[in-house]
Amino acid sequence: SLGNKTKPIIGFFVSGQYTNVVDNSPFYIGDTRVIPSVRDGLITDPARLFSSGNNDFTLAYNSNYLRSSDLESIPTRQNAGEVSYLASGKIDITTTPTINLSVGGSMDFSNRQQYNRSNQLLNAENNTRIKEDTWRAFVKFTQRFTNRTDEEEKRATIKNAFYTLQLDYSQYTNNVQDFVHGDRLWDYGYVGKFTTYRAPQFQLDGSRWVQVGERDTLVTFSPGEQNPDLAAINNFYWSALPSESFPIPELFGAPEGIDPNYIGFFENFQETTSRGVLWNGTRPPNLYNLYNNIGFIDDPNGAEYRKRQNDQVRFTASGSADIGQHGVMIGVEYEQLTQRRYDLVPTALWTRARQLTNFHIQQWQDTAVTNIIQLPGSSFPFYFYSRNLGDDQRVFDRNLRTSLGLDPDGLDFIDVDALDPGVFSLDMFSPDELLDDGNNLVSYVGYDHLGNKLNGRPSFNDFFDETDGNGNFTRVQAPFQPIYMAGYVMDKFAFDDIIFNVGVRVDRYDANQNVLRDKYLWQNAYSAGASVPDAAIASQLANRPDNIGDDFVVYVDNFVSPNTVKGYRDGDIWYSATGVELTDGTSLQEGGQIRPYLIDKGDAGSLTGSALSKDAFEDYKPVVNVMPRIAFSFPISDEAVFFAHYDVLTQRPNAGQSRADLFEYAYNANTGNVLTNPNLAPTKTIDYELGFQQVLTKSSSLKLAAFYRELRDQVQVRNVVNAWPRDYRTYDNFDFGTVKGFSATFDLRRTGNIWMRLGYTLQFADGTGSGPNTGINLINSGQPNLRTISPLDFDQRHRIQATIDFRYGRGKDYNGPMMFGKPILQSTGLNVVSILGSGTPYSRSSQVVNEGAGATNHRLDGTLNGARLPWQFTTDVQLDHDIPLTFGGEDGDKAKSANLNVYLLVTNIFNTENITGVYRYTGSPTNDGFLAELTDRSQIDPESYRDLYTTKVNNPFNFGAPRTIRLGVRFDF
């Protein structure tokens, strides 16, 4: 009981959903696979052996001989199913007539397999398994202010006042693992046990043979159970090899238990892999660079084992009130995202283990003789030596020896591929060993190199300086934690029949991470006004041209002992030594390299093998945007109104392009990958609209509007040319575009049984780029950062949409057919949505390329985005029927009501073929023209190659969705 004797009112709201689908996005042309019986034959009989003489044999996979008759089409995508659960709930507590408290949340979970077209023919069983989990919770407090009496309410200056406070927290997790191997990381690449037998290798030194190393003499294989499809290849190889006798003494490497007078072949790792043998950590060769072979564990995103976790805290406060003739709204927002990610390529762990093991015992001593043997019939004795213990032992090697119970400082040779995968663990590697100077097996932020979530927030310098208890650098990176804040005020008022909505929103975005001080420099350099140590340079800077400012970067002729100033740079503007503005900095190069006047004389950076210096970074400078918003409308007559608005909108940078990745920055000279840009600013859209709406009849109206949008500071990949230590590619805010057009909408309110809306839009969308990566081909060709206006990828010139809803009412509102005196179609409706649109643009190519294998080196034919796809048409129809339900109502209780809705939804009811993509040379969605001009017949089976290539370029992603039929039931209570 409350003070005013009003009891709290509590309301509960709960909902749930379960989904189990085989394929939630089937292709128009279906999927293609190898006939199951044929695929089974490829497992039992996987390859054939070819001899080139001299005991040299090569494997050829039988999958290289597949023909179109071995393939079949199926209606749904293979292994693309999903199971998902969704639940949400809310509790509303009305504590007083003016105060409401809401507490609620939701959870959803999905377990799905990601379709991978490279696995289409033979390997769909290895589609990536993705588990996602999201949960949200919120608490919301609302208070309204009212006057005590109606008379006071009428006289009050402030009316309808209220405010709302809301706190939200959400967490999203994403885990990618192989369905079979899970977190058993060493199983991903395990094929079986390889035992390599070795014999001493000698060199004649005067009157004796001296040992200079060891030579692999024989490899035996025992298949593992983890990846039987891969092991089948090796089983075939070892069973198919012919046998030969070769006498060899046991002390020279004859395997124990094998007749010393018998050995198959002298083989080693390189020889067997070149013949097609799959060692641990190696993948089967793909099929003509078109499809993955059986057993290929692959993820299209580059890592088969991934973790993601996003935590977000959001607070909002808003309020509104009618103050006189003004309706005022105010609000503030605060949001912080914490994004963690971890990527690992577990199949590569075996290769890395081989590289790091025994690294320090590759040399042999020539002083400490371990044995001397004089063989019968030999003129000279054989001198045996022990391995030399070097001082460059790797962390992994030492941990492995300790795990195996060996002396960590011993000389034992470890045969990595002869060990069981259970022997190994990821923590045997140091972070730097997994990063491998840019050839990294792992990438992470917010986790450590083992995938453990970091507690707290490491500093920027920790990546360069922090070590663990064993002195190994931890290379930790803090999670990506951008901070967004905003405040707004809106006022709605009328002036001489004109209704105004006027407001302003102020955003503040802080990426909350470190960025390069100068995108052209990996280390700090002297500016023109600085005190410099080299007398000759100091003299030239003191007499520099007047237009060269103190903060201009100086470029010289030599890193170590500079003598001459070559030029200057102010941001992106380059100058010669005489102050003349240049197109770019190419003329300032010396010996083909740009040479900034580095403070540290170009010494190594803060990481081994990298020129990157931690001093080259600074904190991100928060970006503040002021966004005015103005809208007004006024009636021209009782049946016509004129309206217009002006808005400025911003969008925060995408994390995929703006999250700092110090691994990539440090070793970009080795990888050449496109770098993220942590210094990206929000993109901006300026929107104008002018319109007119006219009442045609009592139930219909016509609305005409013209719109214009400016897209500014859009993100696009670009070349940073004449950067030091090398040119590189990254993202930048330097694209722009415009979208302008006209729309007409006819609305018919429900008249009788029909409601209808017809709309037409004429649009022109032009700009310098349609998305962050649309300029990548131009950049990769070495062209400058050209900005050319052309149609954007989403420029659809004409779009017509019609929505018609025909529905019968219930009870006295029913006017439909009767059967046996029953209103058989009451509460039944038919909804039809038809969309007709002109084709979007694409760029023609004058050059045929091997697009089936992913080639993109096109040569532009005509203008950029100068060709158009065909028109597209689709119609969706839904038929539904409401069944009202009642229950309870006994013993004086009020009856409860519920509603059951049964519906039939058919999308693309006419099964129209809509072409959404074509090959740039032919303009066809199914043929890129490559086979017509193919003269190279060097493939293993040219006819098989042609059949498989034809299947690959018949790309289902070039077509819209097919007809789909859904029958469903909704229950509301």
Side-chain angles (χ1 to χ4, degrees):
S1 174
L2 304 177
N4 59 1
K5 299 182 180 181
T6 301
K7 293 183 178 180
I9 300 174
I10 302 176
F12 297 89
F13 304 88
V14 179
S15 67
Q17 178 177 307
Y18 168 77
T19 305
N20 190 338
V21 294
V22 173
D23 182 2
N24 59 7
S25 184
F27 292 141
Y28 184 84
I29 61 174
D31 201 9
T32 304
R33 68 180 181 186
V34 171
I35 297 171
S37 60
V38 176
R39 185 184 184 278
D40 292 342
L42 293 176
I43 296 175
T44 57
D45 186 19
R48 57 193 69 179
L49 202 64
F50 291 94
S51 174
S52 56
N54 299 320
N55 290 334
D56 191 8
F57 295 89
T58 304
L59 279 173
Y61 287 66
N62 284 333
S63 55
N64 287 301
Y65 300 90
L66 290 170
R67 302 301 302 271
S68 57
S69 58
D70 298 319
L71 312 180
E72 67 176 0
S73 180
I74 55 178
T76 58
R77 299 181 301 167
Q78 304 166 78
N79 285 358
E82 178 178 9
V83 176
S84 64
Y85 308 86
L86 172 65
S88 63
K90 183 177 71 168
I91 301 175
D92 284 337
I93 306 173
T94 304
T95 57
T96 73
T98 59
I99 295 178
N100 182 267
L101 179 67
S102 296
V103 179
S106 65
M107 296 183 62
D108 62 82
F109 169 81
S110 72
N111 185 350
R112 59 188 172 88
Q113 283 191 276
Q114 183 179 16
Y115 178 78
N116 180 357
R117 192 163 182 247
S118 295
N119 287 339
Q120 175 185 21
L121 289 191
L122 292 164
N123 199 43
E125 285 77 4
N126 283 314
N127 285 352
T128 301
R129 174 76 61 173
I130 301 176
K131 294 182 179 180
E132 294 178 304
D133 184 16
T134 302
W135 67 270
R136 308 173 184 88
F138 74 89
V139 57
K140 180 180 179 181
F141 177 85
T142 301
Q143 183 175 12
R144 295 173 298 279
F145 299 93
T146 60
N147 292 288
R148 295 183 178 180
T149 67
D150 293 341
E151 189 62 30
E152 289 177 340
E153 182 72 17
K154 292 178 182 179
R155 295 198 307 267
T157 303
I158 302 176
K159 303 176 184 179
N160 303 320
F162 78 92
Y163 70 91
T164 297
L165 306 176
Q166 182 165 330
L167 178 65
D168 299 85
Y169 179 80
S170 64
Q171 184 180 91
Y172 165 79
T173 58
N174 176 304
N175 291 283
V176 176
Q177 300 177 358
D178 180 77
F179 183 64
V180 175
H181 302 317
D183 59 1
R184 299 184 303 277
L185 301 176
W186 292 86
D187 285 358
Y188 282 70
Y190 186 68
V191 183
K193 179 180 179 180
F194 295 82
T195 303
T196 303
Y197 298 92
R198 298 171 181 85
Q201 190 171 5
F202 296 91
Q203 178 178 306
L204 187 62
D205 181 17
S207 59
R208 63 178 185 171
W209 291 98
V210 296
Q211 185 179 358
V212 294
E214 285 184 346
R215 176 190 178 188
D216 296 346
T217 59
L218 179 68
V219 176
T220 62
F221 173 73
S222 177
E225 298 179 353
Q226 288 84 342
N227 296 285
D229 292 345
L230 301 184
I233 298 294
N234 293 352
N235 288 335
F236 169 82
Y237 175 78
W238 261 270
S239 62
L241 283 177
S243 300
E244 290 189 7
S245 296
F246 191 91
I248 180 169
E250 184 173 356
L251 65 91
F252 284 95
E256 183 178 352
I258 294 180
D259 184 350
N261 292 319
Y262 171 83
I263 190 168
F265 288 95
F266 285 101
E267 291 190 313
N268 56 31
F269 174 82
Q270 288 78 16
E271 290 171 338
T272 54
T273 52
S274 66
R275 293 170 183 165
V277 171
L278 299 177
W279 282 65
N280 295 324
T282 59
R283 308 175 195 250
N286 52 33
L287 189 57
Y288 295 115
N289 291 323
L290 301 174
Y291 295 100
N292 291 334
N293 246 312
I294 297 174
F296 195 110
I297 298 178
D298 167 59
D299 180 77
N301 298 300
E304 301 92 30
Y305 185 86
R306 301 197 303 272
K307 295 181 182 181
R308 302 286 186 270
Q309 180 172 321
N310 296 342
D311 297 89
Q312 180 174 288
V313 177
R314 189 170 187 265
F315 172 77
T316 60
S318 62
S320 71
D322 294 335
I323 305 175
Q325 300 299 315
H326 295 264
V328 179
M329 296 180 59
I330 60 173
V332 294
E333 300 176 15
Y334 174 87
E335 179 183 303
Q336 179 161 30
L337 171 70
T338 300
Q339 185 183 78
R340 295 176 170 88
R341 56 184 293 130
Y342 180 84
D343 296 82
L344 175 70
V345 185
T347 52
L349 293 174
W350 287 92
T351 301
R352 191 66 178 135
R354 278 192 294 269
Q355 294 170 345
L356 298 172
T357 307
N358 307 312
F359 188 86
H360 62 304
I361 56 172
Q362 299 299 315
Q363 304 300 319
W364 295 80
Q365 294 178 351
D366 57 1
T367 54
V369 179
T370 60
N371 197 7
I372 301 175
I373 294 179
Q374 181 75 50
L375 294 178
S378 174
S379 303
F380 306 120
F382 291 84
Y383 282 68
F384 291 78
Y385 295 90
S386 63
R387 294 177 179 272
N388 180 34
L389 184 64
D391 58 2
D392 51 355
Q393 185 180 20
R394 300 304 192 244
V395 173
F396 177 84
D397 181 277
R398 190 170 189 86
N399 289 334
L400 179 59
R401 291 174 187 274
T402 302
S403 175
L404 294 174
L406 301 175
D407 180 1
D409 297 313
L411 295 174
D412 303 271
F413 184 87
I414 300 176
D415 193 349
V416 169
D417 289 279
L419 300 176
D420 186 88
V423 169
F424 302 97
S425 62
L426 193 62
D427 59 3
M428 291 180 175
F429 295 97
S430 71
D432 280 341
E433 289 176 341
L434 288 176
L435 295 174
D436 192 20
D437 294 344
N439 302 308
N440 43 302
L441 282 67
V442 67
S443 176
Y444 51 88
V445 293
Y447 293 95
D448 64 15
H449 71 293
L450 304 177
N452 300 313
K453 180 180 171 182
L454 297 179
N455 296 318
R457 179 180 171 88
S459 71
F460 173 77
N461 287 339
D462 285 344
F463 176 80
F464 299 92
D465 303 330
E466 184 183 76
T467 57
D468 60 19
N470 296 318
N472 300 314
F473 288 103
T474 60
R475 302 303 182 209
V476 289
Q477 289 193 93
F480 181 48
Q481 292 182 296
I483 299 173
Y484 173 77
M485 292 185 287
Y488 63 89
V489 58
M490 290 287 296
D491 184 13
K492 181 179 181 179
F493 61 93
F495 178 78
D496 288 342
D497 294 331
I498 304 176
I499 300 175
F500 286 92
N501 276 283
V502 180
V504 64
R505 182 183 181 95
V506 180
D507 285 357
R508 182 184 185 271
Y509 172 75
D510 183 1
N512 196 24
Q513 58 188 344
N514 289 76
V515 302
L516 283 174
R517 298 177 190 274
D518 188 330
K519 64 186 176 187
Y520 291 91
L521 297 173
W522 254 229
Q523 293 184 19
N524 289 335
Y526 287 110
S527 60
S531 176
V532 301
D534 299 282
I537 301 298
S539 175
Q540 295 173 54
L541 294 179
N543 297 286
R544 67 183 185 270
D546 294 338
N547 64 330
I548 303 301
D550 287 345
D551 58 345
F552 287 24
V553 178
V554 181
Y555 289 83
V556 294
D557 61 333
N558 188 282
F559 286 128
V560 180
S561 301
N563 296 303
T564 304
V565 172
K566 298 283 293 183
Y568 307 89
R569 179 177 52 80
D570 177 26
D572 293 322
I573 304 175
W574 299 81
Y575 297 88
S576 69
T578 58
V580 176
E581 185 175 334
L582 305 172
T583 303
D584 56 44
T586 304
S587 62
L588 305 186
Q589 294 182 6
E590 184 74 20
Q593 184 182 16
I594 198 73
R595 298 177 187 272
Y597 190 15
L598 298 174
I599 294 176
D600 293 329
K601 302 293 187 183
D603 291 342
S606 303
L607 294 169
T608 303
S610 171
L612 185 69
S613 170
K614 60 185 178 182
D615 297 328
F617 288 83
E618 64 181 2
D619 288 336
Y620 182 93
K621 295 181 176 60
V623 179
V624 176
N625 287 296
V626 179
M627 297 171 287
R629 299 180 177 183
I630 302 171
F632 65 89
S633 63
F634 65 89
I636 300 173
S637 67
D638 293 340
E639 298 180 342
V641 64
F642 174 82
F643 60 89
H645 78 247
Y646 164 77
D647 286 339
V648 178
L649 306 170
T650 62
Q651 183 175 355
R652 284 163 274 176
N654 181 283
Q657 288 113 39
S658 65
R659 181 185 53 250
D661 190 340
L662 294 176
F663 304 133
E664 283 291 341
Y665 271 82
Y667 300 110
N668 190 251
N670 298 337
T671 66
N673 295 334
V674 178
L675 293 175
T676 59
N677 183 0
N679 208 20
L680 285 178
T683 60
K684 184 180 294 185
T685 300
I686 301 175
D687 187 31
Y688 304 84
E689 185 180 34
L690 183 66
F692 171 79
Q693 188 167 7
Q694 173 71 51
V695 175
L696 301 178
T697 67
K698 292 182 179 180
S699 58
S700 65
S701 66
L702 178 66
K703 179 180 178 181
L704 306 175
F707 57 88
Y708 176 81
R709 288 193 295 272
E710 292 184 7
L711 312 176
R712 298 181 181 178
D713 299 327
Q714 302 298 298
V715 177
Q716 182 60 258
V717 67
R718 71 173 298 173
N719 266 330
V720 183
V721 182
N722 286 315
W724 185 87
R726 68 186 299 272
D727 298 348
Y728 66 96
R729 301 169 299 164
T730 189
Y731 296 99
D732 207 350
N733 295 100
F734 79 133
D735 255 354
F736 61 90
T738 60
V739 180
K740 47 190 176 292
F742 168 82
S743 66
T745 305
F746 172 78
D747 275 303
L748 176 67
R749 290 188 306 174
R750 188 164 298 279
T751 302
N753 304 97
I754 296 178
W755 172 89
M756 181 173 63
R757 173 173 292 171
L758 301 175
Y760 167 75
T761 301
L762 172 68
Q763 176 183 270
F764 300 85
D766 302 287
T768 56
S770 303
N773 296 297
T774 55
I776 191 70
N777 288 336
L778 188 65
I779 293 299
N780 290 342
S781 67
Q783 299 298 316
N785 298 301
L786 301 176
R787 302 290 86 203
T788 304
I789 299 294
S790 60
L792 298 176
D793 290 351
F794 54 86
D795 176 38
Q796 188 175 50
R797 187 71 71 242
H798 307 281
R799 179 182 174 88
I800 302 171
Q801 179 170 337
T803 304
I804 302 173
D805 187 87
F806 184 90
R807 194 163 300 276
Y808 287 112
R810 187 170 188 83
K812 64 180 180 179
D813 295 326
Y814 180 74
N815 60 351
M818 306 289 288
M819 182 176 291
F820 304 109
K822 300 291 185 181
I824 58 173
L825 295 181
Q826 70 175 352
S827 300
T828 301
L830 181 70
N831 185 273
V832 180
V833 179
S834 291
I835 300 174
L836 174 66
S838 60
T840 52
Y842 71 97
S843 300
R844 295 276 299 180
S845 173
S846 62
Q847 175 179 312
V848 176
V849 299
N850 185 351
E851 297 198 58
T856 58
N857 52 325
H858 296 280
R859 184 183 299 121
L860 185 64
D861 181 15
T863 60
L864 191 65
N865 271 352
R868 292 272 168 174
L869 296 174
W871 284 61
Q872 299 179 23
F873 174 74
T874 185
T875 298
D876 301 338
V877 176
Q878 177 171 302
L879 176 67
D880 66 275
H881 177 65
D882 283 327
I883 305 174
L885 304 173
T886 58
F887 54 92
E890 300 177 357
D891 299 327
D893 293 336
K894 184 179 180 180
K896 305 296 190 297
S897 63
N899 185 68
L900 183 69
N901 179 266
V902 181
Y903 67 90
L904 176 68
L905 173 63
V906 183
T907 60
N908 192 12
I909 190 170
F910 301 116
N911 203 30
T912 309
E913 180 185 87
N914 290 310
I915 297 174
T916 59
V918 296
Y919 293 106
R920 293 173 54 177
Y921 178 75
T922 61
S924 166
T926 60
N927 180 14
D928 64 354
F930 180 72
L931 289 180
E933 300 193 12
L934 179 65
T935 58
D936 179 17
R937 300 182 63 86
S938 61
Q939 291 84 10
I940 296 175
D941 185 338
E943 297 308 315
S944 175
Y945 176 77
R946 286 180 172 273
D947 285 355
L948 298 180
Y949 193 94
T950 300
T951 301
K952 185 61 180 286
V953 296
N954 188 21
N955 190 346
F957 294 106
N958 286 339
F959 298 89
R963 178 197 298 122
T964 59
I965 302 173
R966 294 181 176 89
L967 178 63
V969 177
R970 298 189 185 95
F971 181 65
D972 301 316
F973 61 94

